[in-house]
Amino acid sequence: MSVATLVAIRQRRLRTRTAVVAGLTAGVVAAFAASLMVGNTFYGPVDVLRVVSGQAVDGASFAVGDLRLPRATLAVLAGASLGIAGVTFQTMLRNPLAAPDIIGISAGSATAAVVGIVALGLSDTAVSFLALAAGLGTAAAIYLLAHRNGFAGTRLILIGIGVAALLDSITAYVLSRASEWDLQSAMQWLTGSLNGATWASVAPLAVACALLIPALLLLGRDLSALRLGDDTAAALGVRVRPTRLLLILAAVGLLAFATAASGPIAFVAFMAGPIAARVVGSGGSLLVPAALTGALLVLVADLVGQNAFDNRYPVGVVTGALGAPFLLFLLVRVNRSGGSL
């Protein structure tokens, strides 16, 4: 194959990638705008723009400014955080099944939140901080258990699945002992919900995104090298152990803050990376496409859950319904063709 042909292929891939990223960005903007306009009362684009710009509009100022805008912002930040955290693990471990909600990290936050609500009677803020600390602690425990005589992705996945099963059983036991009121609160949190989103709940996640997403993007080239294996990455100049540790810390931090803000929104971290890989195609980092895909998934799922049925459903119910068949699809694909994205 000639140099000119290789250059042409790379240019074509770059144009395709740029077009896809632009399309995903446009989709996120459109879904965000729809989230602000659609609800019990429809407000047109002019009223929404006036509210967002700080003007007072009868009815719309409260509905759009105080209710819909924090909710849509939380959807974007949580979806982007889950998407980029999920694809980081999937790329680093070279397996599309290695998402945080499959390998037990989300289960740690969920168990801690349930214990905080049912057994300790903590406030919503305290539950969020407890879920954050538990997510980080669970990730550290899984990593330490998997790091024996070197690091193996398959070992980490299997240990993570075992830890998730253990934590899920603890969660089920605590729920079985809960009062009716505590059970309702715990189940609302466990399903993953944007209900009650406020700027106070958005702010910590926004700060985490501002710090950790750029850190992951800076490590994107090294992450792509790790996909080729530790030996190859080391030969390319990557400091494998420090880089892997930094990637895990950044990804788990995003996941923990997102889970603390909105609960464990099912399957978004799992679906975003593989969907982005199929849309973008081979070559290049999946971090930005996965973040945009995650944000779009959460926005659209919340719109559907709130407006498409007679009853209103939390966003986690909709993503769970989408994620279950997608998991079966990926299991069949991995069994046939291997474990890469």
Side-chain angles (χ1 to χ4, degrees):
M1 186 178 297
S2 66
V3 174
T5 302
L6 288 174
V7 171
I9 292 174
R10 289 181 179 179
Q11 289 177 343
R12 184 168 62 251
R13 287 179 176 175
L14 179 61
R15 287 194 297 269
T16 301
R17 179 184 180 84
T18 302
V20 169
V21 170
L24 288 172
T25 303
V28 171
V29 172
F32 185 87
S35 297
L36 300 183
M37 292 186 290
V38 177
N40 288 333
T41 302
F42 177 85
Y43 296 100
V46 175
D47 288 336
V48 169
L49 287 174
R50 289 175 61 194
V51 172
V52 173
S53 64
Q55 301 179 44
V57 181
D58 290 340
S61 292
F62 176 74
V64 175
D66 294 340
L67 298 180
R68 298 180 190 175
L69 187 56
R71 185 187 187 102
T73 304
L74 180 58
V76 171
L77 294 178
S81 298
L82 294 171
I84 199 169
V87 81
T88 297
F89 276 95
Q90 290 166 326
T91 303
M92 182 173 56
L93 301 177
R94 303 191 296 279
N95 193 320
L97 301 179
D101 41 5
I102 302 294
I103 62 176
I105 299 173
S106 298
S109 295
T111 300
V114 169
V115 171
I117 293 170
V118 174
L120 304 179
L122 299 179
S123 65
D124 291 343
T125 302
V127 167
S128 296
F129 280 109
L130 182 61
L132 172 62
L136 295 172
T138 303
I142 293 171
Y143 181 82
L144 291 174
L145 289 171
H147 198 279
R148 296 183 59 186
N149 299 322
F151 181 87
T154 303
R155 187 191 304 141
L156 186 144
I157 295 171
L158 293 175
I159 290 175
I161 291 173
V163 169
L166 174 62
L167 292 171
D168 287 342
S169 66
I170 295 173
T171 301
Y173 172 77
V174 174
L175 289 175
S176 71
R177 311 282 293 183
S179 64
E180 183 177 353
W181 176 259
D182 288 337
L183 181 61
Q184 291 179 355
S185 299
M187 291 306 297
Q188 181 178 3
W189 195 92
L190 283 175
T191 53
S193 175
L194 303 176
N195 295 337
T198 63
W199 292 119
S201 61
V202 170
L205 178 57
V207 173
C209 289
L211 295 175
L212 298 178
I213 289 180
L216 283 175
L217 295 178
L218 288 174
L219 293 169
R221 186 182 298 272
D222 291 343
L223 177 62
S224 298
L226 287 176
R227 182 190 299 178
L228 304 175
D230 290 358
D231 293 338
T232 303
L236 293 173
V238 177
R239 300 174 62 193
V240 174
R241 288 187 179 181
T243 299
R244 182 184 289 117
L245 182 59
L246 289 174
L247 287 168
I248 290 175
L249 288 175
V252 170
L254 283 172
L255 176 75
F257 273 99
T259 303
S262 59
I265 303 177
F267 288 120
V268 174
F270 171 67
M271 292 190 293
I275 292 175
R278 280 151 185 76
V279 174
V280 174
S282 60
S285 171
L286 292 174
L287 294 178
V288 172
L292 292 171
T293 301
L296 186 58
L297 280 172
V298 176
L299 281 169
V300 172
D302 189 50
L303 275 171
V304 170
Q306 296 300 302
N307 301 289
F309 306 101
D310 293 334
N311 296 320
R312 295 179 180 269
Y313 295 100
V315 63
V317 173
V318 180
T319 60
L322 294 173
F326 191 77
L327 173 59
L328 294 176
F329 163 76
L330 269 189
L331 285 172
V332 172
R333 181 183 178 277
V334 169
N335 184 56
R336 290 179 177 177
S337 58
S340 60
L341 284 177

